[in-house]
Amino acid sequence: MEQKKESHAKQYTSYALGAFGHDAFYATLSTYLMLFITSELFNGAAKGVKSHMILIITTMMMIIRLVEIVFDPIIGGIIDNTQTKYGKFKPWLLVGAGVSAIFLVLIFTDFGGLTNSNPMLYVVLFGICYVIMDVFYSFKDIALWSMLPALSVDEKVRNNFGTTGRLGSTIGAQAVPIMIFPLIVFFSHVFSGTSGQTKTQAGWIGFAVVIAIFSFGGALCTALGTHENTSLIRQNTERTGVIGIFKALGKNDQLMWLAASYFLFALGYVVTNSLLAYYFTYVLGQSNKFTFAGWIMAVLGVISVSLFPVIVEKVHRKAIYVGGICMMLVGYILFLFAGHSLLAVLVSVAVFFFPYPMIFLAALMTITDSVEYGQWKNGTRNESVTLSIRPLIDKLAGAVANGVVGIAAVHSGMTGNAAPSSISHAQLMGFKTYMFFGPMALVAVAALVYYTKVKLTEDKHKQIVDELETKLKAEKAAKEGKTSNDAPDAQ
């Protein structure tokens, strides 16, 4: 038993390290790439050209991600159908991490000054690199999180893996706002010879290299430190074609309702979170204080994730998901009254962010349990296909959010070196609509959908697992009995 606990502890740590690097990558891609594009990339161009190019890049990114997410279930199917001596997840985890890390760095460059000398060629090259990066990021994303149901079918152990994984991802995601501006300033000093708080493109590239190293290093830790659990339930699989993949998803009604709710929630959260750096830069005029928000989110994130196993035992997932969104709505209201007070803004950030990791975990564990639900309902187990829904939704929400953020930045005059004094009252109200009012409506509807439509509780999942085990044991015994009866008598 002690050896088993030590084995679990090693796997928990390895999984958490992989999630740390992965969410540092995701935060950079979904939140801060747009900040780089709108504030740094086209600074040498005229204002009208700059706004035009930002909208082109923003629209292109959104279209690419919207088109590419259709292939996420197929990527899940490819992973499910992979058979190697290292398992089906680890090869794709490492390949995806390596390729996406390289291309992440590339999209933080201007390809040798093409943004000024040949903007349209830059757009083409950016689009190619972005597609490659996004595809291989999808392989890594789906491989990492679809390992969860393969590590254990036991609800408690699975919750522990989910909690430690989310702990790592929370620290990774919140490490980015803590270190982004200090790192950019540091690399700007080193490579551009600047001083003070000046940020340059070379500084952004240095930051991207650090994130790429975290991403690949974390994936390597997970690949070396975890192993797939074998059980009778997990052996109940078969190769699934493209049509079968989408049929399996469509028939899993609990997965579909959860997906609808989580998409609305994720879109609202990502838009607000992505615009937070703009708030500090263009409303407060204190971008150097953004690190404080990062520290608050990191500390509260660790506390929030650590409390999840205790709270979920007492009130279960539905109360966490819906109650957490209610707390976020309180944070939104506080934000609306915070104005230019740094202290009030930081308090609003704390109230808004604290429930987020627990809401994510409640959604993740519901999706994970829907693997067995789909197997129970449809007769086929699809791990990576089912778990591909969560990254698909995150990317869909991120794609739409990137478009919203780009439009919000341009419409609110928050591009380049604009100062808070240059933002008009009308522009500020428009910005608040993008950052607060729209997302508030989205997360409220998300809570309503989850509360009324998602019926896959912890007790229901335990009942499903018991029924599956009983059924599969009976089928195995019947098959063995038939084989024994069909065997020729000994001579």
Side-chain angles (χ1 to χ4, degrees):
M1 178 66 70
E2 189 65 32
Q3 185 177 4
K4 186 176 181 180
K5 287 183 178 179
E6 290 177 1
S7 174
H8 274 157
K10 178 184 176 183
Q11 290 196 80
Y12 293 153
T13 303
S14 301
Y15 196 64
L17 289 172
F20 171 88
H22 184 69
D23 266 48
F25 188 107
Y26 175 73
T28 300
L29 183 63
S30 65
T31 303
Y32 300 105
L33 176 60
M34 279 306 304
L35 181 60
F36 164 72
I37 291 170
T38 58
S39 66
E40 185 65 44
L41 192 57
F42 296 102
N43 274 352
K47 185 175 181 179
V49 174
K50 179 194 302 184
S51 297
H52 180 65
M53 294 306 299
I54 288 172
L55 289 176
I56 288 177
I57 293 292
T58 299
T59 303
M60 182 176 67
M61 288 170 59
M62 183 169 63
I63 292 173
I64 288 172
R65 298 211 92 180
L66 290 175
V67 171
E68 194 270 330
I69 60 172
V70 177
F71 297 99
D72 274 13
I74 298 174
I75 290 173
I78 292 172
I79 296 173
D80 270 337
N81 292 333
T82 297
Q83 294 181 349
T84 74
K85 65 178 181 179
Y86 303 107
K88 62 184 180 181
F89 304 107
K90 295 178 182 180
W92 291 115
L93 180 65
L94 291 176
V95 170
V99 176
S100 62
I102 293 170
F103 281 88
L104 176 73
V105 175
L106 287 177
I107 62 176
F108 273 91
T109 71
D110 61 2
F111 300 108
L114 288 179
T115 50
N116 293 321
S117 63
N118 195 333
M120 293 315 297
L121 178 57
Y122 165 81
V123 169
V124 172
L125 292 177
F126 178 92
I128 293 171
C129 290
Y130 191 85
V131 168
I132 295 173
M133 181 276 301
D134 205 39
V135 169
F136 282 92
Y137 168 80
S138 295
F139 271 104
K140 180 198 174 196
D141 194 14
I142 294 169
L144 176 69
W145 291 111
S146 61
M147 289 179 74
L148 196 53
L151 296 173
S152 178
V153 295
D154 180 84
E155 188 75 30
K156 186 173 182 180
V157 175
R158 184 176 283 185
N159 276 337
N160 288 337
F161 270 111
T163 300
T164 53
R166 187 56 194 168
L167 179 63
S169 68
T170 297
I171 296 173
Q174 301 316 318
V176 179
I178 291 173
M179 66 184 180
I180 179 170
F181 289 136
L183 276 179
I184 293 170
V185 169
F186 170 76
F187 286 119
S188 297
H189 290 177
V190 172
F191 297 119
S192 304
T194 57
S195 59
Q197 295 296 313
T198 303
K199 306 174 189 69
T200 67
Q201 189 173 359
W204 278 94
I205 295 173
F207 160 73
V209 170
V210 171
I211 298 301
I213 292 171
F214 282 166
S215 179
F216 183 77
L220 186 61
C221 289
T222 298
L224 295 176
T226 60
H227 64 265
E228 295 180 33
N229 174 267
T230 56
S231 66
L232 188 60
I233 289 178
R234 288 203 66 232
Q235 293 168 10
N236 180 221
T237 60
E238 59 186 50
R239 295 183 70 87
T240 308
V242 174
I243 296 176
I245 287 170
F246 288 99
K247 280 185 177 179
L249 292 177
K251 291 179 180 178
N252 195 325
D253 59 293
Q254 290 299 286
L255 180 62
M256 291 296 97
W257 281 119
L258 185 279
S261 173
Y262 183 68
F263 169 72
L264 295 170
F265 166 76
L267 178 58
Y269 173 79
V270 173
V271 168
T272 298
N273 194 49
S274 298
L275 290 172
L276 189 58
Y278 289 82
Y279 196 99
F280 274 79
T281 303
Y282 297 106
V283 179
L284 295 181
Q286 302 184 69
S287 64
N288 59 319
K289 298 297 193 299
F290 187 56
T291 299
F292 294 163
W295 277 110
I296 288 172
M297 290 187 285
V299 173
L300 291 181
V302 170
I303 296 172
S304 179
V305 172
S306 301
L307 288 175
F308 178 80
V310 178
I311 296 176
V312 78
E313 288 285 335
K314 303 293 184 183
V315 300
H316 300 307
R317 291 191 297 247
K318 180 169 286 191
I320 289 176
Y321 191 95
V322 176
I325 288 178
C326 290
M327 184 174 178
M328 290 181 72
L329 289 171
V330 173
Y332 274 119
I333 294 170
L334 292 175
F335 243 128
L336 290 172
F337 292 98
H340 290 77
S341 168
L342 177 62
L343 178 60
V345 168
L346 293 177
V347 170
S348 304
V349 168
V351 176
F352 169 77
F353 177 77
F354 179 74
Y356 169 71
M358 284 194 277
I359 296 170
F360 174 92
L361 273 171
L364 177 63
M365 301 317 299
T366 305
I367 294 174
T368 304
D369 285 356
S370 69
V371 171
E372 283 79 36
Y373 176 81
Q375 182 179 6
W376 171 75
K377 184 175 182 182
N378 304 320
T380 305
R381 183 179 181 87
N382 302 98
E383 292 174 339
S384 292
V385 169
T386 302
L387 269 292
S388 72
I389 286 296
R390 203 277 313 159
L392 182 155
I393 295 169
D394 275 336
K395 287 199 297 182
L396 177 59
V400 177
N402 279 342
V404 171
V405 170
I407 294 170
V410 172
H411 286 180
S412 304
M414 298 180 181
T415 60
N417 297 317
S421 58
S422 67
I423 308 299
S424 69
H425 177 73
Q427 287 176 321
L428 182 59
M429 289 305 297
F431 177 76
K432 288 184 176 181
T433 299
Y434 286 112
M435 185 172 180
F436 302 128
F437 299 123
M440 287 175 72
L442 290 171
V443 299
V445 175
L448 182 63
V449 171
Y450 191 99
Y451 183 78
T452 58
K453 294 296 184 180
V454 177
K455 310 298 183 183
L456 183 56
T457 63
E458 292 90 332
D459 291 339
K460 180 65 174 178
H461 175 256
K462 186 177 184 303
Q463 175 190 335
I464 288 170
V465 169
D466 290 342
E467 289 184 18
L468 281 173
E469 287 179 340
T470 301
K471 175 186 175 184
L472 294 173
K473 284 178 182 177
E475 289 177 353
K476 182 179 180 181
K479 185 176 180 181
E480 289 174 349
K482 181 179 179 181
T483 302
S484 176
N485 292 334
D486 289 345
D489 292 336
Q491 299 296 320

